[in-house]
Amino acid sequence: MTKHLLSIDDLGRDGIEEILELTKSFAEVSARRIPKVPALRGKNIAWLFYEDSTRTRLSFETAAKRLSADTMNFSVSSSSVNKGESLRDTCLTITAMGVDAIVVRHRSAGVPWQITKWVDASVINAGDGWHEHPTQALLDCFTIQQRFGSLEGRHVAIVGDIKHSRVARSNLAAFTALGAEVTLVAPQTLLPPSLEGWNCKVSHDLDAVLPTVDVAYMLRMQLERQKQALVPTLREYTAGYGLTEQRLDNLGSETMIMHPGPMNRGVEIAPSAADDPRAVITNQVANGVSVRMAVLFLLLGSGGDLGTLPEPESVQPDDGDAR
Ligand code: NCD
């Protein structure tokens, strides 16, 4: 693996498979009574989140802690960004304190690439504008693999606001790299103006696609990125493209229902669909920690020799570990 994790395309099939293989070991670490190994002791990781996040940030934080890394929290709202400090100066300030990796989320596409030119640290893209969200794609691949063994020949529908979704872009690249077939399902207004070079089919008919899929991957309407009304009303959007309670009968008994979160229950996914036994949305979140442990370990650790995956740190007898 290279020094940075910026996009799925940089990884290719081999790089994705290397991370997914390593993730199995970290899922095993995560299941231990004490889910902590000293692999990244002494490493320092900074979170640079210029956009809101619940899952991704907490998941990276948990992953770093399970690997015994130190972390530096940066909050745009309480930092000198509010005093006009530039992104470059912010990065130089952070790295002057000694960081090994910067995990960045930013509203503008390309910011993680830009940062690699300014700093020596590894840079991990935690979402750049509409562009890429590689660790989300990796955790989704891992979740599908867990169920089906492989993505080869599986049919995945990615449904909803494709146009504004970095998850759609990274997931399409990762799913197809691993041999899945992808159909994008959305109204024309929520598709990018051109799909040239996109390795997928497109449909506007969710009811026709649902019975044929192994995975129904629902996306949130990214209203914060939409400058104009792209659907007549949210109610009409739900009627055409939401995973409604009625549509659940259209899904196979083994079909996985996935969503990257945050969900807007009642818009793109009905509460009964989100809570259906076929939904794996909380598994996605749990797997996110193990995938991010694998990524951090590959970038900052000893380079993936799993034969030497460290044992848990010794436990003091009086630590009251009653789990
Ligand atoms: C997504 C994101 O921020 O790109 N969420 C996530 O990271 N799990 C998707 C979204 O915001 O809809």
Side-chain angles (χ1 to χ4, degrees), residues 193-210:
S194 163
L195 287 168
E196 212 184 302
W198 289 46
N199 181 11
C200 58
K201 292 188 185 142
V202 175
S203 169
H204 307 301
D205 186 350
L206 182 58
D207 293 309
V209 173
L210 282 183

Side-chain angles (χ1 to χ4, degrees), residues 9-167:
D9 286 339
D10 292 347
L11 292 172
R13 183 172 187 143
D14 289 349
I16 296 171
E17 284 176 343
E18 181 187 14
I19 294 170
L20 298 185
E21 197 49 42
L22 188 57
T23 298
K24 289 183 197 158
S25 307
F26 284 113
E28 183 267 307
V29 170
S30 294
R32 287 179 188 172
R33 192 170 50 87
I34 298 171
K36 201 168 172 93
V37 289
L40 296 189
R41 191 181 273 166
K43 301 286 184 187
N44 196 12
I45 305 170
W47 318 126
L48 201 59
F49 277 65
Y50 280 81
E51 261 194 356
D52 297 341
S53 174
T54 301
R55 268 150 294 270
T56 307
R57 184 173 174 147
L58 291 178
S59 173
F60 266 114
E61 178 107 39
T62 306
K65 285 185 171 144
R66 287 189 185 167
L67 294 167
S68 307
D70 296 316
T71 60
M72 281 207 300
N73 266 314
F74 167 88
S75 158
V76 171
S77 57
S78 59
S79 72
S80 291
V81 171
N82 282 340
K83 299 179 185 170
E85 187 158 51
S86 71
L87 177 66
R88 182 169 180 272
D89 286 333
T90 303
C91 289
L92 296 182
T93 301
I94 286 174
T95 48
M97 295 177 206
V99 296
D100 300 286
I102 294 179
V103 179
V104 59
R105 170 171 282 193
H106 200 280
R107 65 189 170 281
S108 302
V111 159
W113 280 261
Q114 192 59 50
I115 294 176
T116 64
K117 303 203 169 72
W118 298 328
V119 303
D120 277 338
S122 288
V123 177
I124 299 174
N125 183 359
D128 62 323
W130 310 354
H131 183 221
E132 278 253 18
H133 192 351
T135 56
Q136 180 70 43
L138 291 166
L139 74 90
D140 289 330
C141 289
F142 187 79
T143 307
I144 298 172
Q145 247 188 24
Q146 238 179 2
R147 168 70 67 84
F148 294 129
S150 148
L151 275 82
E152 198 69 57
R154 295 289 170 182
H155 184 198
V156 184
I158 303 180
V159 186
D161 185 0
I162 313 284
K163 179 173 178 168
H164 302 99
S165 173
R166 52 193 171 212
V167 175

